[in-house]
Amino acid sequence: MGTVHLSRNVIDTQLVDRHQQKIGRIDELLLELEEGKPPRVATIVISGAARARRVGGWMVACHRAVHALLGQRAEHESRVPFDAVRCIADTIELDVEGNTLESLRLERWLSEHVIGRIPGASGERK
Amino acid sequence: MSARTVALSDLLGRTVRDADGRKIGRIEELNAEISLEHGRSDYVVTHFSVGRFKPLDMIATGNFVQQLVRRVTRATGYRRYEIPWDWMDLGDPAHPRVRRREDELPRAG
Amino acid sequence: MKKWGEVALGVVTCIGGFLEVGSIATSAQGGAEFGYQLAWVLLLGTLSLAILMEMTGRLAAVSRRSYGDLLRERFGYRFFLLPFLAVFIVSLLVLASEIGGVAIALQLATGVAFRWWAIPTALIGWLLLWRGNFSIVEQGTALLGLVALSFGVAALVLHPAWPTLGRALLPSLPSHDHARYWYLAVSMLGASISPYLYLFYSAGAIEDEWTIEHLGVNRITASVGNVFGGGLAIASLVTAALVLAPREIRVDAYEQIALLLATPLGRPGFVFFVMTLFITCFGATIEIVLAMAYILAQGFGWRWSENLKPAQDARFSTSYTVLILLAAVPIALGMDPLSLTNISMVATAASLPVTVIPLFVLMNDGDLLNTNVNGWASNLALVVIALLSVVLLVAALPLQLLGGG
Amino acid sequence: MNRPAHTRAHARLALLALLAGGGCGSPPPLAKQLETLASWTATMQLAKERHGAGAITYTYATQLRDKADDAFQQASTTIGRAAQTRTDSAYAAAALDSLRTAIRQLEAEIGS
């Protein structure tokens, strides 16, 4: 396998789970630095807080304010080891079960408690 | 010795200085390759691309623009270095340093 | 055979998609106040839109990725927020205007004040999104949008002075009211080149699973479709120039625009005007709300498709539900739809640079487009559009203050 | 009539007023108001003619009438303040008068 450009081809790329379902984008990548070893690409982060941090202090403040307003205590973020990467292309496939990810909590909650309650929300393809 | 963790977005765009303390540009890209060690495969960073300024690099992705930018860059003094990982001192990730002098660094084509 | 069906559909989509509340209102204002003189603006807008649509369509067909997706991945989250927020705010304004257009059409037909129609319109639009799939949305609004051809008939019946109209296709300076002239020019450009149009088109190419085989379809759709769409906008300007301008009627309210077709075509003209306003604005409402949900879902990596059941892409379906209801609020509160339209069109014009300039970078990326990257002519055209968009951004606010109202 | 120069000067004044933060309270300039009144008068005449030809519905004609009425009401409260000379006032009164007549004629046509 050739060289992977972390900024151009990895961060912000669409993630899919092992069923090819979209599960978010790479909001942050964590590198592990150890003396005498090359930096290791360790962890994929999917998280609103991580995104906010990339924009700047004001965005972090906004993010916190929204959380406080919604009475949300924990940040719904997922950290997936980079080992779980199966394939890097237009999308990055992770060997994970999308339904169990913490970062998809809102999607699941909306699906069960809001959208799912309106008639015609689920069933066969349209 | 325990490993430290640093976020990719904290490294991108950081100003890099050389051994003499001169600014040589900003970190524009981290290039990783797969490495097979201790029976496991890991992606590790092999070299850092450090360039004079990021905005130009962001634009300079396509054929046409690259040619255009190359022409313009001669005037603006745009330079890009490919720095092997073991030349880069990330002891303080906010102030990365290269262990060599600027004129020793390999230029990107 | 199937491909020709797609071409026909695409062309028809443009006819319905081009002539919506913004084009009808601003072209009528332009024609009423300056006769044929502003026709060149519509030509410029149509050409620009055709070029932008061809490019976003080509990008989607070759790379199999939408513009929203690439905006986030190629430029990073920080940069992405800029076009995202600009498109989002502007589209919300335009969406509210389109709902206003539907509501006005219903008011003209029934006599019940427009504000009472805002929420029902939003609910029916939502129901279509909820139950329908992408082809229903696309084909339904497209075929019904053919009523817009009545604008073309009206213009022809009035026997426009072709040489004068031809000369007006070249830019000229006004003899009076400079600020108003340029203000209308900016609004008309905003009405022609709406970011939602090419964002929707790009996402639609993914929904319809376009491949490199569709490049021909894409080229024909973007060119022929926009010739028809732009032609109808010119027809609306011509009709206003021949019906309203000689009587010195300025368009201060939507109610006055309905006289446009009733004058040359009589009662059928009035009926066709109401139907055109209703259908094209309703179609645009659906397209804008989808375009907004698309860029949201694509930018943040959610599951999205109008072909999935709502519970399967809950964040996507929640987005369009909230957005369509939210946009109905200003109209339900009685905000004047015409002022709202004018403000939205100028805001649209000002928002163009942040979606046009990144396109330039993507269209030259060989990794995405291989041999289908822009040639020098396309690049030149795109640079001209980008420069135009920057001029619009700079000019929009001063002109709103000097020439608005 | 030197309307263009007039309007432009007024537009600049309006901008200044707006920038000074006092734009909301001042009435639109006289020239603009006269134009609006004339435009609504012509609208009423066209609507009357179109209704006579059976081209537009009663429902729609009454909506147009109501809009013209709104414009009339608004102008009658603000135009006095915009008209500074006696000639201006005469123009204003004449414009208001034509619109009132046109509205009445449309009402007679549609029989409301």
Side-chain angles (χ1 to χ4, degrees):
Chain A
M1 217 176 278
T3 306
V4 174
H5 307 292
L6 296 186
S7 162
R8 186 174 152 88
N9 295 334
V10 181
I11 198 166
D12 290 310
T13 301
Q14 176 76 55
L15 290 167
V16 295
D17 73 355
R18 60 168 76 105
H19 309 295
Q20 298 296 318
Q21 298 295 341
K22 296 188 178 76
I23 53 169
R25 287 178 178 272
I26 300 186
D27 294 320
E28 185 63 277
L29 268 184
L30 300 181
L31 309 176
E32 224 170 67
L33 306 176
E34 209 171 332
E35 202 57 51
K37 283 189 184 169
R40 189 173 77 90
V41 187
T43 315
I44 288 170
V45 184
I46 314 167
S47 142
R51 272 198 302 270
R53 225 176 58 91
R54 289 172 63 188
V55 180
W58 64 274
M59 191 55 119
V60 175
C62 286
H63 185 82
R64 287 213 189 105
V66 171
H67 265 238
L69 209 69
L70 297 173
Q72 212 176 19
R73 263 174 237 119
E75 173 69 33
H76 299 315
E77 81 170 21
S78 292
R79 286 168 181 249
V80 183
F82 206 78
D83 300 346
V85 171
R86 270 188 181 174
C87 152
I88 301 179
D90 284 353
T91 57
I92 292 181
E93 189 186 327
L94 297 182
D95 190 12
V96 295
E97 192 63 50
N99 279 330
T100 62
L101 287 175
E102 184 66 15
S103 53
L104 286 182
R105 234 181 136 103
L106 179 63
E107 176 98 35
R108 284 194 296 275
W109 185 82
L110 286 171
S111 178
E112 279 164 32
H113 295 93
V114 185
I115 296 298
R117 297 217 170 153
I118 307 171
S122 44
E124 297 297 300
R125 256 177 89 93
K126 287 190 194 175
Chain B
M1 185 173 169
S2 68
R4 288 173 304 132
T5 301
V6 60
L8 176 67
S9 61
D10 282 342
L11 290 178
L12 290 170
R14 290 279 178 206
T15 305
V16 179
R17 289 173 186 273
D18 73 352
D20 296 342
R22 272 183 308 187
K23 288 183 190 173
I24 59 166
R26 290 168 182 277
I27 300 183
E28 291 177 347
E29 184 62 279
L30 276 71
N31 306 285
E33 274 172 28
I34 215 155
S35 97
L36 298 159
E37 250 184 76
H38 316 301
R40 53 185 278 189
S41 63
D42 274 328
Y43 273 94
V44 296
V45 175
T46 55
H47 57 281
F48 297 78
S49 303
V50 176
R52 228 354 166 233
F53 28 75
K54 195 176 160 65
L56 258 185
D57 189 59
M58 200 177 72
I59 298 169
T61 44
N63 279 333
F64 170 82
V65 193
Q66 254 172 13
Q67 283 175 22
L68 192 80
V69 165
R70 247 178 245 150
R71 248 164 247 171
V72 180
T73 48
R74 221 162 281 159
T76 54
Y78 176 79
R79 260 172 275 171
R80 187 170 164 137
Y81 302 107
E82 300 295 343
I83 298 167
W85 71 268
D86 49 347
W87 290 15
M88 186 71 94
D89 175 8
L90 291 173
D92 176 5
H95 301 98
R97 278 184 96 94
V98 183
R99 291 181 235 253
R100 309 279 166 114
R101 293 202 354 248
E102 184 170 5
D103 48 14
E104 294 173 71
L105 302 175
R107 295 273 286 267
Chain C
M1 213 33 233
K2 185 164 175 279
K3 212 153 266 174
W4 287 109
E6 284 174 19
V7 170
L9 181 66
V11 170
V12 174
T13 309
C14 280
I15 297 176
F18 205 104
L19 201 71
E20 35 64 71
V21 74
S23 291
I24 294 176
T26 56
S27 303
Q29 286 173 324
E33 290 174 47
F34 293 95
Y36 296 150
Q37 210 185 350
L38 281 159
W40 64 273
V41 175
L42 292 172
L43 181 69
L44 180 65
T46 309
L47 268 176
S48 308
L49 179 64
I51 290 167
L52 293 173
M53 277 176 69
E54 189 278 327
M55 287 185 191
T56 45
R58 171 153 47 102
L59 185 63
V62 178
S63 73
R64 320 273 320 250
R65 304 174 66 176
S66 66
Y67 190 32
D69 174 12
L70 290 166
L71 272 176
R72 165 89 193 259
E73 198 213 280
R74 287 295 154 125
F75 302 104
Y77 182 65
R78 230 183 117 104
F79 178 84
F80 167 76
L81 282 181
L82 188 67
F84 169 72
L85 289 176
V87 167
F88 214 73
I89 293 165
V90 163
S91 299
L92 202 58
L93 284 172
V94 182
L95 180 59
S97 314
E98 302 293 348
I99 292 177
V102 177
I104 284 285
L106 289 166
Q107 175 193 307
L108 292 175
T110 63
V112 177
F114 71 86
R115 52 185 300 185
W116 303 111
W117 293 109
I119 301 290
T121 301
L123 287 175
I124 292 169
W126 171 81
L127 195 65
L128 184 66
L129 290 168
W130 189 261
R131 306 291 306 200
N133 58 27
F134 188 74
S135 26
I136 292 177
V137 168
E138 196 184 24
Q139 294 168 17
T141 53
L143 291 175
L144 293 172
L146 282 176
V147 291
L149 290 174
S150 52
F151 274 78
V153 176
L156 290 178
V157 165
L158 287 164
H159 299 293
W162 295 106
T164 324
L165 180 58
R167 273 195 297 279
L169 291 176
L170 291 174
S172 57
L173 287 174
S175 55
H176 62 98
D177 281 343
H178 287 259
R180 182 73 181 162
Y181 180 86
W182 292 110
Y183 169 77
L184 285 174
V186 170
S187 341
M188 284 161 74
L189 279 175
S192 312
I193 323 171
S194 271
Y196 87 83
L197 283 169
Y198 45 88
L199 286 165
F200 179 80
Y201 188 67
S202 157
I206 305 293
E207 293 268 33
D208 284 338
E209 295 173 357
W210 277 16
T211 64
I212 200 156
E213 310 272 293
H214 287 79
L215 285 180
V217 177
N218 175 50
R219 212 169 296 133
I220 298 174
T221 306
S223 52
V224 181
N226 278 303
V227 166
F228 271 108
L232 287 179
I234 292 183
S236 153
L237 176 113
V238 166
T239 315
L242 295 174
V243 173
L244 304 180
R247 297 175 171 86
E248 297 204 355
I249 297 179
R250 285 173 50 123
V251 177
D252 291 315
Y254 268 112
E255 284 84 348
Q256 288 165 296
I257 309 180
L259 288 166
L260 274 189
L261 299 195
T263 304
L265 302 179
R267 180 61 72 94
F270 176 70
V271 174
F272 269 110
F273 176 83
V274 173
M275 280 168 59
T276 305
L277 190 65
F278 177 82
I279 292 166
T280 57
C281 295
F282 189 73
T285 301
I286 301 290
E287 288 183 10
I288 296 168
V289 80
L290 268 180
M292 291 173 79
Y294 282 143
I295 192 174
L296 197 59
Q298 289 160 0
F300 292 89
W302 307 341
R303 282 188 83 182
W304 59 272
S305 173
E306 179 49 13
N307 294 325
L308 290 172
K309 278 285 183 179
Q312 291 173 298
D313 47 7
R315 284 185 286 190
F316 177 73
S317 39
T318 306
S319 308
Y320 66 63
T321 305
V322 171
L323 290 168
I324 200 167
L325 291 172
L326 188 66
V329 171
I331 303 296
L333 292 176
M335 190 167 176
D336 177 40
L338 189 62
S339 324
L340 189 62
T341 305
N342 278 327
I343 291 169
S344 335
M345 295 310 135
V346 174
T348 302
S351 81
L352 289 174
V354 291
T355 49
V356 171
I357 296 171
L359 189 61
F360 181 77
V361 176
L362 296 174
M363 294 314 293
N364 286 291
D365 191 329
D367 290 353
L368 293 170
L369 287 159
N370 301 321
T371 54
N372 294 297
V373 291
N374 269 1
W376 66 270
S378 306
N379 272 326
L380 185 68
L382 195 49
V383 167
V384 172
I385 298 173
L387 290 176
L388 174 71
S389 73
V390 173
V391 171
L392 291 177
L393 168 66
V394 174
L397 186 65
L399 284 175
Q400 173 73 44
L401 293 175
L402 286 170
Chain D
M1 203 163 97
N2 60 346
R3 196 176 54 185
H6 217 82
T7 330
R8 243 176 297 150
H10 276 297
R12 276 191 208 123
L13 279 177
L15 179 69
L16 281 178
L18 207 77
L19 291 176
C24 305
S26 63
L30 182 67
K32 180 101 197 301
Q33 293 205 47
L34 289 177
E35 251 178 66
T36 309
L37 285 174
S39 159
W40 278 109
T41 307
T43 307
M44 290 298 97
Q45 287 159 354
L46 181 59
K48 176 179 161 251
E49 177 211 315
R50 290 287 85 203
H51 189 271
I56 59 173
T57 59
Y58 168 78
T59 319
Y60 168 56
T62 49
Q63 290 172 43
L64 266 178
R65 193 264 329 260
D66 292 347
K67 273 280 171 185
D69 228 16
D70 289 349
F72 178 83
Q73 298 300 341
Q74 205 187 346
S76 55
T77 58
T78 57
I79 206 163
R81 272 186 287 157
Q84 266 133 23
T85 64
R86 190 171 290 174
T87 336
D88 281 356
S89 302
Y91 270 124
L96 280 171
D97 202 44
S98 342
L99 179 54
R100 193 188 303 130
T101 315
I103 294 176
R104 289 218 180 110
Q105 281 170 350
L106 176 64
E107 282 173 341
E109 162 64 36
I110 62 179
S112 75

